[in-house]
Amino acid sequence: MDLKFNKNEDFNKLKVSELKERLARVYKGGGDKKIEKQHSKNKLTARERIDHLVDEPQDCIEIGALAGYDMYKEEGGCPSGGVVVKIGKVKQHQVIIVANDATVKAGAWFPITGKKNLRAQEIAIENHLPIIYLVDSAGVYLPMQDEIFPDKENFGRIFRNNAIMSSKGITQIAAVMGSCVAGGAYLPIMSDEALIVNKTGSIFLAGSYLVKAAIGEDIDNEKLGGATTHCEISGVTDYKAETDEDALDQIKRIFDKMGEPDKQGFNRKKPAKPKEQIDEVFGFIPEKRSDQYDMREVISRLVDKSEYDEYKEGYGQTIITAYARIDGWAVGIVANQRKVVKSKKGEMQFGGVIYSDSADKATRFIANCNQKKIPLVFLQDVTGFMVGSKSEHGGIIKDGAKMVNAVSNSVVPKFTVIIGNSYGAGNYAMCGKAYDPRLIIAWPSAELAVMSGNSAAKVLLQIEKSKRKAQGEKITEDKEKELFDKVKSEYDAQTSPYYAAARLWTDAIIDPVDTRKWISTGINVADHQTDMGKFNMGVLQT
């Protein structure tokens, strides 16, 4: 390997180290003191509860671990959005688990908490996946109630989704392991079966203080809505557990007797590791975002036996389309090629840019994968579509529209990995968040924005200069550089993968070596979907 490879490797491994350090802090939730307080009440933390419940904790993938990252600073932060969401197996049944983290503001719901819960339910609905709620929450975070309570995609949507999942026959199990207050009380009771932990779990529409204030009744919380009340008097809950562990073991027993789900039957053979070393991807992804590299080097380190069959290899070369297997699953790969290549006419084409021929090829390939019932994997490192008179006259808008149409109407599961750049309309065409990928993940090297920081800063600088000149201010060369650096710094902060992950524009930032695990788990989950529908591009046929 050459010096450039070694420099890239050092740079990218440092980024992974930074990711692991940030995640380690996030995993602490509200911190050591809050964890100790949770334990003093004979309660497990959210992550401990999930680890006790699943068959193999190390096999889980976590959705939105970085949700809320660096947000809500005035409120003291909201690590993981105050709720832990993982996909794993319980008694060999694939499930998604949603566990309130009571170490973070007593499990109160921030706006990002609601968004993350809805994302978990979306995954359950899309994939017909059983969902388990481990409830321990003080309810809506009142200082921000206007951002979590009234809108369509806010708190109330969760109960609507409970009802929708019930109508679709998607199993929902809830364990009340702490507070379950006000509107939140509907979540466990709208589930198929509900458990409650004695002395620590409670369910009521209004707590004892509010009851006293509202109607003058003097009653304590345990008599009002504790385990004995709801298991023996109201009949609201179905099982009474004595400890957290007891409740989690009861959930295991429920799943142990469940029948096997119907499957879509996506093609899977015996898994095989890549022949090339997966960690070598660190040396291929360049430190400088404008540098070239061959995406085939990345693909060969992600797919089984490092083998893949390219579709239209010599045509539309700024997008690679290929059939392969990942952990045994048959997949169709659509990947941006970052090398400068020659077109079929001998013209040079910029890497990472989508040209008309590339869009045409990708559209046809996506249609083929839908016909063959092959899940799609998008590997993004894209700066957008080609611009200029030649591209416009050649119909780049129409070819791009066809590709976006194919992605939008695709019925097979789609999975998106943002490796490098994810800019503008390129993000859309390569199955960005708005196009319903089953999972969308980013490497630490990713950037998401309308355009690169450098390009955007130049545009924003011109606007700022014009405004200041109109106010009579003289812009010196030093002042212009100062303004440029300020604008670029602010813009770059918003292109960071952490900014995107905090807002759930991506499901996770991952170590690249875990990419195969995420895609394999995603397809296994998607295999539960009962009806995919039919692929139809409508008026924009290929």
Side-chain angles (χ1 to χ4, degrees):
M1 299 298 178
D2 59 19
L3 181 60
K4 186 177 180 180
F5 181 96
N6 292 334
K7 285 184 176 179
N8 289 340
E9 186 176 44
D10 290 344
F11 177 78
N12 286 303
K13 285 188 174 180
L14 280 173
K15 280 189 168 292
V16 172
S17 295
E18 178 187 8
L19 169 65
K20 290 179 177 178
E21 287 174 7
R22 294 187 183 198
L23 286 172
R25 292 197 296 272
V26 163
Y27 293 159
K28 290 281 188 178
D32 290 331
K33 288 185 178 179
K34 293 291 178 67
I35 291 172
E36 288 173 13
K37 186 177 180 181
Q38 185 89 340
H39 288 163
S40 71
K41 298 176 182 177
N42 294 319
K43 295 166 67 176
L44 301 174
T45 65
R47 294 180 184 280
E48 289 168 345
R49 287 167 176 166
I50 294 174
D51 284 350
H52 184 92
L53 180 61
V54 298
D55 297 343
E56 299 290 345
Q58 69 273 15
D59 291 340
C60 293
I61 60 173
E62 182 169 353
I63 306 296
L66 290 160
Y69 185 83
D70 235 9
M71 296 169 66
Y72 312 115
K73 292 179 181 178
E74 292 182 5
E75 288 79 18
C78 187
S80 282
V83 61
V84 182
V85 175
K86 291 192 180 187
I87 296 174
K89 288 185 177 181
V90 174
K91 292 297 181 180
Q92 294 304 305
H93 290 274
Q94 195 85 60
V95 301
I96 187 164
I97 304 165
V98 181
N100 298 114
D101 187 350
T103 72
V104 179
K105 291 284 192 297
W109 287 58
F110 283 67
I112 196 66
T113 317
K115 188 173 182 179
K116 187 170 174 179
N117 274 264
L118 290 172
R119 175 60 179 142
Q121 290 184 321
E122 180 183 43
I123 291 171
I125 292 169
E126 282 181 330
N127 300 289
H128 210 86
L129 191 66
I131 187 166
I132 299 170
Y133 307 100
L134 306 180
V135 185
D136 192 349
S137 172
V140 167
Y141 183 64
L142 289 177
M144 304 186 80
Q145 65 86 26
D146 61 322
E147 297 180 51
I148 182 62
F149 169 68
D151 209 348
K152 179 180 178 180
E153 299 298 331
N154 285 171
F155 191 72
R157 187 78 171 182
I158 289 161
F159 315 129
R160 175 263 187 193
N161 286 349
N162 286 141
I164 295 297
M165 283 189 277
S166 181
S167 72
K168 292 179 179 291
I170 299 171
T171 298
Q172 300 176 83
I173 305 294
V176 179
M177 312 178 86
S179 296
C180 188
V181 186
Y186 287 103
L187 185 147
I189 311 313
M190 293 188 74
S191 299
D192 301 321
E193 295 183 75
L195 304 84
I196 186 168
V197 180
N198 196 24
K199 303 300 182 184
T200 55
S202 57
I203 309 171
F204 34 67
L205 295 180
S208 56
Y209 292 125
L210 186 54
V211 168
K212 177 71 173 176
I215 64 173
E217 182 181 359
D218 197 357
I219 188 171
D220 64 53
N221 283 339
E222 185 63 28
K223 288 182 180 178
L224 180 65
T228 299
T229 295
H230 286 310
C231 286
E232 299 178 16
I233 300 173
S234 72
V236 164
T237 51
D238 306 307
Y239 306 93
K240 180 166 73 171
E242 292 304 319
T243 63
D244 280 10
E245 292 89 346
D246 186 20
L248 298 167
D249 289 341
Q250 179 61 49
I251 294 174
K252 290 181 186 181
R253 290 193 292 273
I254 292 170
F255 274 87
D256 193 39
K257 296 171 183 65
M258 281 177 56
E260 286 295 316
D262 294 332
K263 298 289 181 74
Q264 270 295 328
F266 296 121
N267 187 297
R268 192 181 196 188
K269 303 294 184 185
K270 184 178 179 181
K273 293 182 179 179
K275 288 182 180 177
E276 307 289 352
Q277 294 297 313
I278 182 71
D279 59 359
E280 286 181 351
V281 295
F282 296 120
F284 292 110
I285 306 303
E287 178 179 349
K288 293 183 179 177
R289 312 202 71 78
S290 56
D291 282 0
Q292 301 174 48
Y293 67 95
D294 190 347
M295 183 62 84
R296 291 182 179 87
E297 298 286 8
V298 175
I299 294 172
S300 67
R301 284 157 178 81
L302 294 178
V303 302
D304 291 13
K305 299 180 182 179
S306 300
E307 295 175 352
Y308 55 93
D309 298 308
E310 279 201 51
Y311 170 80
K312 289 184 178 289
E313 180 179 355
Y315 179 74
Q317 294 182 71
T318 63
I319 285 182
I320 297 169
T321 49
Y323 298 106
R325 290 189 183 275
I326 293 178
D327 197 36
W329 296 104
V331 297
I333 295 172
V334 181
N336 302 113
Q337 173 59 294
R338 281 305 308 270
K339 284 201 314 181
V340 172
V341 297
K342 281 188 178 180
S343 73
K344 59 186 176 183
K345 298 177 181 177
E347 299 165 339
M348 301 307 293
Q349 294 186 342
F350 297 104
V353 179
I354 302 175
Y355 289 77
S356 285
D357 54 359
S358 303
D360 174 64
K361 177 171 81 170
T363 301
R364 292 173 181 272
F365 182 73
I366 290 166
N368 286 345
C369 287
N370 274 271
Q371 187 181 50
K372 298 180 177 74
K373 206 162 79 169
I374 299 174
L376 286 159
V377 176
F378 293 83
L379 303 180
Q380 283 196 14
D381 194 341
V382 58
T383 54
F385 286 87
M386 190 58 191
V387 297
S389 61
K390 188 171 184 178
S391 291
E392 298 293 359
H393 296 169
I396 184 67
I397 294 176
K398 187 170 185 179
D399 288 321
K402 285 182 179 180
M403 183 176 173
V404 170
N405 190 296
V407 172
S408 302
N409 286 297
S410 180
V411 295
V412 295
K414 298 169 293 196
F415 303 90
T416 301
V417 184
I418 304 173
I419 291 174
N421 303 320
S422 181
Y423 297 154
N427 168 282
Y428 300 158
M430 291 294 293
C431 198
K433 182 66 182 289
Y435 293 80
D436 295 327
R438 298 299 177 93
L439 294 172
I440 178 169
I441 53 179
W443 288 4
S445 49
E447 277 193 3
L448 287 82
V450 171
M451 61 182 75
S452 71
N454 199 53
S455 298
K458 289 177 182 177
V459 174
L460 293 169
L461 176 64
Q462 294 305 315
I463 296 170
E464 184 66 19
K465 282 170 62 179
S466 297
K467 185 174 74 174
R468 292 184 180 228
K469 283 180 180 178
Q471 295 170 347
E473 184 178 342
K474 185 178 180 181
I475 307 295
T476 65
E477 190 174 317
D478 287 344
K479 184 66 175 178
E480 183 172 329
K481 184 180 185 305
E482 180 187 332
L483 284 172
F484 178 84
D485 290 343
K486 181 176 183 294
V487 170
K488 187 174 185 303
S489 175
E490 291 173 352
Y491 190 88
D492 283 346
Q494 294 181 8
T495 69
S496 161
Y498 293 96
Y499 191 92
R503 289 153 183 81
L504 287 173
W505 301 345
T506 61
D507 291 316
I509 304 173
I510 68 164
D511 184 335
V513 301
D514 292 330
T515 305
R516 283 168 52 85
K517 174 184 175 181
W518 273 79
I519 294 171
S520 177
T521 300
I523 299 175
N524 192 32
V525 166
D527 205 28
H528 290 70
Q529 183 186 10
T530 52
D531 181 21
M532 289 195 306
K534 293 183 178 180
F535 176 70
N536 187 340
M537 283 183 61
V539 72
L540 286 174
Q541 297 297 327
T542 59

